[in-house]
């Protein structure tokens, strides 16, 4: 067994993969079409300021999602900040801590207190039963996060928001192309926000979008993303520079045209991982609701160390040594990052499920750069570690 262990790079052998497999490596789409669009953009010399590609991207996104309005912006974080300001949120807003730090920062940046709420361990999204207990006279809104493309409990959150006259928005950065009860994500709350960062399965190099069915909110957001300009020389509202560039929109359009191909590859990868990782002690693959549309963008494992005997973090170290760049999401939780760990030093006491998830979740590579053979090799490393945990422990000693 020690000879077999020595074959793993973590124990002194050569990495199983010559090139690194990354989580979130970009999908490109049709390179020729993208380059044609970029050449067209250069010929027109219209690089920003609501060009034809941005307008087309907004319309095609709105059509795909079945929403009235889509406002393309430079990135998902600015999209969150614009919606927060447009909804006139203030005081406190209830959010999960189990999310990317931008969700919290978008509030704190505008001197609004993010109140961290625990999540449902089955869905990894906001637990509505916990939300209501956190509402105070200072609460102005709720921001749910559709993690891994898994929709929040939209109905319960909507009921709570309506009951307490709160604004409701969703960070849908993980959920483009996903549905809830047959309706596309993007149609819920006052507004929803998407990210088209390079790591997302549909990307615009760097970009984001706000979608809403509220006419007044749409008008306000369009003013705000362009310094408050109405026409050439008429500023009528406080605003900033949140515009998407034409080159980003060109990439976004090209990605969107390949969406079914990307989803099919992700789906294939998901099934391959599911089959290869079935019945391994302590390893659970986060399930996809196949009754709904889903993007299969994330391969999410939960590692139960009591059963697996190998910790999530040791698995990651071994995988990294083999050039499989697995990730811990959303470790260690927003409440344990600055400035929040200083502001709320005892938040962990109210977030037991979040605390557990941040110690268990492991994300594996997927997307168009990963083959089924790659997946089988990744899974063989995990299985080897789980089934030989005692020898690994002895070796490390």
């Amino acid at each position: 067994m020690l000879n077999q262990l020595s074959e793993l790079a973590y124990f002194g052998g050569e990495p199983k993969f010559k090139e690194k497999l990354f989580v979130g490596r970009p999908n490109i789409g049709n390179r020729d079409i993208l380059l044609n669009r970029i050449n067209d953009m250069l010929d027109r010399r219209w690089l920003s300021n609501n060009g034809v590609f941005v307008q087309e991207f907004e319309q095609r996104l709105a059509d795909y999602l079945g929403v009235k309005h889509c406002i393309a912006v430079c990135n998902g974080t600015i999209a969150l900040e614009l919606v927060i300001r447009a909804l006139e949120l203030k005081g406190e807003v209830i959010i999960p801590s189990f999310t990317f730090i931008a969700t919290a920062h978008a509030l704190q940046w505008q001197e609004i207190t993010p109140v961290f709420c625990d999540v449902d361990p089955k869905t990894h999204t906001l637990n509505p039963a916990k939300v209501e207990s956190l509402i105070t006279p200072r609460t102005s809104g709720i921001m749910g996060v559709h993690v891994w493309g898994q929709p929040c409990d939209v109905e319960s959150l909507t009921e709570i928001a309506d009951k307490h006259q709160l604004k409701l928005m969703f960070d849908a950065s993980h959920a483009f192309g996903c549905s809830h009860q047959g309706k596309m994500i993007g149609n819920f709350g006052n507004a929803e926000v998407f990210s088209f960062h390079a790591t997302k399965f549909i990307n615009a190099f760097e970009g984001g979008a706000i979608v809403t069915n509220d006419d007044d909110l749409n008008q306000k957001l369009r003013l705000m993303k362009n310094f408050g300009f109405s026409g050439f020389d008429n500023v009528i509202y406080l605003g900033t520079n949140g515009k998407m560039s034409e080159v980003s929109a060109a990439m976004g359009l090209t990605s969107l045209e390949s969406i079914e191909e990307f989803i099919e590859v992700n789906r294939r990868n998901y099934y391959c991982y599911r089959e290869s990782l079935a019945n391994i002690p302590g390893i659970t693959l986060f399930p996809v609701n196949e009754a709904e549309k889903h993007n299969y963008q994330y391969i999410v494992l939960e590692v139960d160390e009591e059963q697996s005997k190998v910790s999530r973090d040791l698995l990651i170290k071994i995988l990294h040594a083999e050039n499989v760049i697995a990730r811990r999401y959303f470790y260690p939780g927003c409440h344990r990052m600055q400035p929040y760990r200083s502001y709320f030093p005892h938040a962990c006491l109210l977030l037991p499920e979040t605390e557990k998830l941040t110690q268990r979740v492991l994300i594996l590579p997927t997307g168009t750069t990963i083959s089924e053979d790659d997946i089988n090799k990744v899974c063989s490393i995990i299985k080897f570690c789980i089934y030989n945990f005692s020898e690994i422990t002895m070796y490390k000693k």
Side-chain angles (χ1 to χ4, degrees):
M1 180 54 64
L2 295 183
N3 287 336
Q4 287 179 283
L5 283 174
S6 67
E7 293 177 5
L8 287 176
Y10 187 67
F11 301 98
E14 290 295 317
K16 290 288 183 280
F17 293 93
K18 298 301 181 184
E19 295 186 5
K20 292 181 179 180
L21 303 183
F22 288 97
V23 170
R25 192 157 190 191
N27 297 322
I28 302 300
N30 190 308
R31 187 186 299 253
D32 290 337
I33 290 175
L34 172 62
L35 295 176
N36 285 339
R37 282 193 167 109
I38 292 174
N39 283 326
D40 182 34
M41 175 196 74
L42 295 174
D43 289 342
R44 284 184 285 104
R45 297 179 184 269
W46 193 338
L47 308 184
S48 188
N49 291 346
N50 201 35
V52 294
F53 288 153
V54 167
Q55 293 178 47
E56 183 183 355
F57 189 44
E58 288 181 337
Q59 187 59 57
R60 289 176 67 174
L61 288 173
D63 292 344
Y64 180 81
L65 299 171
V67 297
K68 289 178 70 175
H69 305 291
C70 174
I71 302 99
V73 293
C74 55
N75 60 59
T77 304
I78 290 295
L80 289 171
E81 292 177 2
L82 286 169
V83 175
I84 289 163
R85 187 175 287 271
L87 290 176
E88 300 178 5
L89 298 180
K90 57 187 178 181
E92 298 174 350
V93 173
I94 297 168
I95 67 169
S97 176
F98 192 69
T99 181
F100 185 57
I101 194 65
T103 313
H105 278 357
L107 291 162
Q108 190 65 50
W109 191 256
Q110 301 182 69
E111 299 185 342
I112 299 167
T113 300
V115 175
F116 296 121
C117 180
D118 212 0
V119 294
D120 183 323
K122 292 183 179 179
T123 67
H124 299 185
T125 63
L126 270 183
N127 185 340
K130 304 292 185 183
V131 169
E132 197 153 20
S133 66
L134 295 173
I135 295 172
T136 73
R138 297 190 70 241
T139 307
S140 62
I142 301 166
M143 190 194 307
V145 181
H146 305 305
V147 180
W148 325 130
Q150 167 70 39
C152 294
D153 185 343
V154 171
E155 289 72 28
S156 295
L157 292 177
T158 300
E159 185 178 343
I160 293 168
D162 290 345
K163 176 182 175 182
H164 295 275
Q165 297 183 308
L166 303 174
K167 299 294 174 56
L168 177 63
M169 62 180 289
F170 292 100
D171 181 339
S173 296
H174 284 195
F176 187 77
C178 301
S179 67
H180 173 64
Q181 296 190 357
K183 183 181 285 189
M184 297 300 287
I185 297 295
N187 285 277
F188 303 105
N190 297 102
E192 302 203 56
V193 166
F194 293 104
S195 170
F196 299 116
H197 184 266
T199 57
K200 300 300 185 287
F201 88 110
I202 294 294
N203 77 84
F205 295 133
E206 176 81 81
I210 305 160
V211 293
T212 182
N213 290 311
D214 184 320
D215 295 341
D216 292 336
L217 188 60
N218 168 61
Q219 267 192 316
K220 188 184 289 189
L221 287 163
R222 290 194 181 280
L223 287 170
M224 289 173 64
K225 78 162 186 177
N226 187 28
F227 305 102
F229 272 103
S230 176
F232 287 109
D233 305 309
N234 189 27
V235 175
I236 63 171
Y237 202 81
L238 181 65
T240 188
N241 186 1
K243 300 187 299 295
M244 176 179 278
S245 70
E246 279 290 271
V247 72
S248 287
M251 184 61 181
L253 284 166
T254 306
S255 292
L256 193 59
E257 288 164 354
S258 295
I259 186 169
E260 296 305 325
E261 174 194 340
F262 295 158
I263 290 175
E264 185 53 42
V265 169
N266 285 349
R267 184 188 291 112
R268 177 207 71 189
N269 292 349
Y270 171 80
Y271 287 142
C272 189
Y273 273 116
R274 188 171 72 176
E275 181 179 350
S276 295
L277 295 172
N279 303 315
I280 300 176
I283 299 293
T284 304
L285 179 65
F286 187 82
V288 168
N289 180 359
E290 298 186 66
E292 299 283 353
K293 291 186 175 180
H294 204 280
N295 57 35
Y296 298 85
Q297 183 178 350
Y298 294 94
I299 302 297
V300 185
L301 302 189
E302 285 189 58
V303 182
D304 183 343
E305 188 175 352
E306 288 186 8
Q307 296 182 46
S308 68
K309 307 302 180 185
V310 177
S311 72
R312 185 272 313 270
D313 288 354
L314 178 56
L315 271 181
I316 285 182
K317 287 179 181 178
I318 293 171
L319 287 166
H320 280 200
E322 302 300 332
N323 281 335
V324 180
I325 312 303
R327 295 283 305 278
R328 301 181 294 190
Y329 278 34
F330 293 100
Y331 180 84
C334 293
H335 66 289
R336 289 189 175 275
M337 297 180 178
Q338 290 290 22
Y340 313 107
R341 70 175 180 226
S342 295
Y343 293 164
F344 318 115
H346 305 299
C348 58
L349 300 177
L350 298 174
L351 303 168
E353 299 301 340
T354 300
E355 288 278 297
K356 291 175 188 174
L357 281 179
T358 60
Q359 299 300 318
R360 293 162 62 106
V361 165
L362 185 158
I363 309 297
L364 293 173
T366 188
T368 55
T369 61
I370 305 296
S371 69
E372 291 188 51
D373 183 56
D374 291 334
I375 291 170
N376 288 326
K377 286 181 182 177
V378 170
C379 294
S380 70
I381 296 167
I382 294 172
K383 285 187 275 193
F384 184 87
C385 293
I386 299 298
Y387 290 127
N388 298 284
F389 68 90
S390 58
E391 286 82 1
I392 288 174
T393 303
M394 288 172 56
Y395 192 100
K396 290 308 291 180
K397 286 181 180 178

Coordinates of all heavy atoms in Angstrom, one line a residue, residues 334-366:
C334 N -19.3 34.3 4.9 CA -19.1 35.7 4.9 C -18.9 36.2 6.4 O -18.2 37.2 6.6 CB -20.3 36.4 4.3 SG -20.5 36.2 2.5
H335 N -19.6 35.6 7.3 CA -19.6 36.1 8.7 C -18.2 35.9 9.3 O -17.9 36.5 10.4 CB -20.6 35.3 9.5 CG -20.4 33.9 9.7 ND1 -20.6 33.0 8.6 CD2 -20.0 33.1 10.8 CE1 -20.3 31.8 9.1 NE2 -19.9 31.8 10.4
R336 N -17.4 35.1 8.7 CA -16.0 34.9 9.2 C -15.0 35.6 8.4 O -13.8 35.4 8.6 CB -15.7 33.4 9.3 CG -16.4 32.6 10.4 CD -15.9 31.2 10.5 NE -16.6 30.5 11.6 CZ -16.2 30.6 12.9 NH1 -15.1 31.3 13.2 NH2 -16.8 29.9 13.8
M337 N -15.4 36.5 7.5 CA -14.5 37.4 6.8 C -14.6 38.8 7.3 O -15.6 39.2 7.9 CB -14.8 37.3 5.3 CG -14.7 35.9 4.7 SD -15.1 35.9 2.9 CE -14.7 34.2 2.4
Q338 N -13.6 39.6 7.0 CA -13.6 41.0 7.4 C -14.5 41.8 6.4 O -14.5 41.5 5.2 CB -12.2 41.6 7.5 CG -11.4 41.0 8.6 CD -11.9 41.5 10.0 OE1 -13.1 41.9 10.1 NE2 -11.1 41.4 11.0
P339 N -15.2 42.8 6.9 CA -15.2 43.3 8.3 C -16.2 42.6 9.2 O -16.3 42.9 10.3 CB -15.6 44.8 8.1 CG -16.5 44.8 6.9 CD -16.0 43.7 6.0
Y340 N -16.9 41.6 8.6 CA -18.0 41.1 9.3 C -17.7 40.3 10.6 O -18.4 40.3 11.6 CB -18.9 40.2 8.4 CG -19.1 41.0 7.1 CD1 -18.5 40.6 5.9 CD2 -19.9 42.1 7.1 CE1 -18.6 41.3 4.8 CE2 -20.1 42.9 5.9 CZ -19.4 42.5 4.8 OH -19.6 43.2 3.6
R341 N -16.5 39.6 10.6 CA -16.2 38.9 11.8 C -15.8 39.8 12.9 O -15.9 39.4 14.1 CB -15.0 37.9 11.5 CG -13.7 38.6 11.3 CD -12.6 37.5 11.1 NE -11.3 38.1 10.9 CZ -10.4 37.7 9.9 NH1 -10.8 36.7 9.1 NH2 -9.2 38.3 9.8
S342 N -15.4 41.1 12.6 CA -15.2 42.1 13.7 C -16.6 42.7 14.1 O -16.8 42.9 15.3 CB -14.3 43.2 13.2 OG -13.0 42.7 12.9
Y343 N -17.5 42.9 13.2 CA -18.8 43.5 13.5 C -19.6 42.5 14.2 O -20.4 42.9 15.1 CB -19.5 43.9 12.2 CG -18.9 45.0 11.4 CD1 -19.3 45.3 10.1 CD2 -17.9 45.9 12.0 CE1 -18.7 46.3 9.3 CE2 -17.4 46.9 11.2 CZ -17.8 47.1 9.9 OH -17.2 48.2 9.2
F344 N -19.6 41.2 13.8 CA -20.5 40.2 14.4 C -19.7 39.0 14.9 O -19.8 37.9 14.3 CB -21.5 39.8 13.4 CG -22.1 40.9 12.5 CD1 -21.8 41.0 11.2 CD2 -22.9 41.9 13.1 CE1 -22.4 42.0 10.4 CE2 -23.4 42.9 12.3 CZ -23.1 43.0 11.0
P345 N -18.9 39.2 16.0 CA -18.0 38.1 16.4 C -18.7 36.8 16.8 O -18.1 35.8 16.9 CB -17.2 38.7 17.5 CG -18.1 39.9 18.0 CD -18.8 40.4 16.8
H346 N -20.0 36.9 17.2 CA -20.7 35.7 17.7 C -21.7 35.2 16.7 O -22.6 34.4 17.0 CB -21.3 36.0 19.0 CG -20.4 36.5 20.0 ND1 -19.3 35.8 20.5 CD2 -20.4 37.7 20.7 CE1 -18.7 36.5 21.4 NE2 -19.3 37.7 21.5
A347 N -21.6 35.7 15.4 CA -22.6 35.3 14.4 C -22.6 33.7 14.2 O -23.7 33.2 13.9 CB -22.3 35.9 13.1
C348 N -21.5 33.1 14.4 CA -21.4 31.6 14.2 C -22.4 30.9 15.0 O -22.9 29.8 14.7 CB -20.0 31.1 14.4 SG -19.4 31.5 16.1
L349 N -22.8 31.4 16.2 CA -23.7 30.8 17.1 C -25.1 30.7 16.5 O -25.9 29.8 16.9 CB -23.8 31.5 18.4 CG -22.5 31.6 19.2 CD1 -22.6 32.4 20.5 CD2 -21.9 30.2 19.5
L350 N -25.5 31.6 15.6 CA -26.8 31.6 14.9 C -26.8 31.0 13.6 O -27.8 30.9 12.9 CB -27.2 33.1 14.8 CG -27.4 33.9 16.1 CD1 -27.8 35.3 15.7 CD2 -28.5 33.3 16.9
L351 N -25.6 30.4 13.2 CA -25.5 29.9 11.8 C -24.9 28.4 11.8 O -23.9 28.1 11.1 CB -24.6 30.8 11.0 CG -25.0 32.2 10.9 CD1 -23.9 33.1 10.3 CD2 -26.2 32.4 10.0
P352 N -25.5 27.5 12.6 CA -25.0 26.2 12.7 C -24.9 25.4 11.4 O -23.9 24.7 11.1 CB -25.9 25.5 13.7 CG -27.2 26.3 13.6 CD -26.8 27.7 13.4
E353 N -25.9 25.6 10.5 CA -25.9 24.8 9.2 C -24.9 25.4 8.3 O -24.2 24.7 7.5 CB -27.3 24.8 8.6 CG -28.4 24.2 9.5 CD -28.1 22.7 9.8 OE1 -27.3 22.1 9.1 OE2 -28.6 22.2 10.8
T354 N -24.8 26.8 8.3 CA -23.8 27.4 7.5 C -22.4 27.0 7.9 O -21.5 26.7 7.1 CB -23.9 28.9 7.6 OG1 -25.2 29.4 7.2 CG2 -22.8 29.7 6.8
E355 N -22.1 26.9 9.2 CA -20.8 26.5 9.7 C -20.5 25.1 9.2 O -19.4 24.8 8.8 CB -20.9 26.5 11.3 CG -20.8 27.9 11.8 CD -19.4 28.5 11.9 OE1 -18.6 27.9 12.6 OE2 -19.2 29.5 11.2
K356 N -21.5 24.2 9.3 CA -21.2 22.8 8.8 C -20.9 22.8 7.3 O -20.0 22.1 6.9 CB -22.5 21.9 9.1 CG -22.7 21.7 10.6 CD -24.0 20.9 10.8 CE -24.4 20.8 12.2 NZ -25.8 20.2 12.4
L357 N -21.7 23.5 6.5 CA -21.5 23.4 5.1 C -20.2 24.0 4.7 O -19.5 23.4 3.8 CB -22.6 24.3 4.4 CG -24.0 23.6 4.2 CD1 -25.0 24.5 3.5 CD2 -23.9 22.3 3.4
T358 N -19.7 25.0 5.3 CA -18.4 25.6 4.9 C -17.3 24.6 5.2 O -16.2 24.8 4.6 CB -18.1 26.9 5.6 OG1 -18.1 26.7 7.1 CG2 -19.2 28.0 5.3
Q359 N -17.5 23.6 6.1 CA -16.5 22.6 6.4 C -16.6 21.4 5.5 O -15.7 20.5 5.5 CB -16.5 22.2 7.8 CG -16.3 23.4 8.8 CD -14.9 24.0 8.6 OE1 -13.9 23.3 8.4 NE2 -14.8 25.3 8.7
R360 N -17.7 21.3 4.8 CA -18.0 20.0 4.1 C -18.0 20.2 2.5 O -17.8 19.2 1.8 CB -19.4 19.5 4.5 CG -19.6 19.1 5.9 CD -21.0 19.0 6.3 NE -21.8 18.1 5.6 CZ -22.2 16.9 6.0 NH1 -21.9 16.5 7.3 NH2 -23.0 16.1 5.3
V361 N -18.3 21.4 2.0 CA -18.5 21.5 0.6 C -17.2 21.5 -0.2 O -16.2 22.2 0.2 CB -19.3 22.8 0.3 CG1 -19.2 23.2 -1.2 CG2 -20.7 22.6 0.7
L362 N -17.2 20.8 -1.3 CA -16.0 20.7 -2.2 C -16.6 20.8 -3.6 O -17.5 20.0 -4.0 CB -15.3 19.4 -1.9 CG -14.0 19.1 -2.7 CD1 -13.2 18.0 -1.9 CD2 -14.2 18.6 -4.1
I363 N -16.0 21.7 -4.4 CA -16.4 21.8 -5.8 C -15.4 21.3 -6.8 O -14.2 21.6 -6.6 CB -16.6 23.4 -6.1 CG1 -17.5 24.0 -5.1 CG2 -17.2 23.5 -7.5 CD1 -18.9 23.5 -5.0
L364 N -15.9 20.5 -7.7 CA -15.0 19.8 -8.7 C -15.1 20.4 -10.1 O -16.1 21.0 -10.4 CB -15.3 18.3 -8.8 CG -15.0 17.5 -7.5 CD1 -15.6 16.1 -7.7 CD2 -13.5 17.5 -7.2
P365 N -14.1 20.3 -10.9 CA -14.1 20.9 -12.2 C -15.2 20.3 -13.1 O -15.4 19.1 -13.1 CB -12.7 20.6 -12.8 CG -11.8 20.4 -11.6 CD -12.7 19.7 -10.6
T366 N -15.7 21.2 -14.0 CA -16.7 20.7 -15.0 C -16.6 21.7 -16.2 O -15.7 22.5 -16.2 CB -18.1 20.6 -14.5 OG1 -18.9 20.0 -15.5 CG2 -18.7 21.9 -14.1

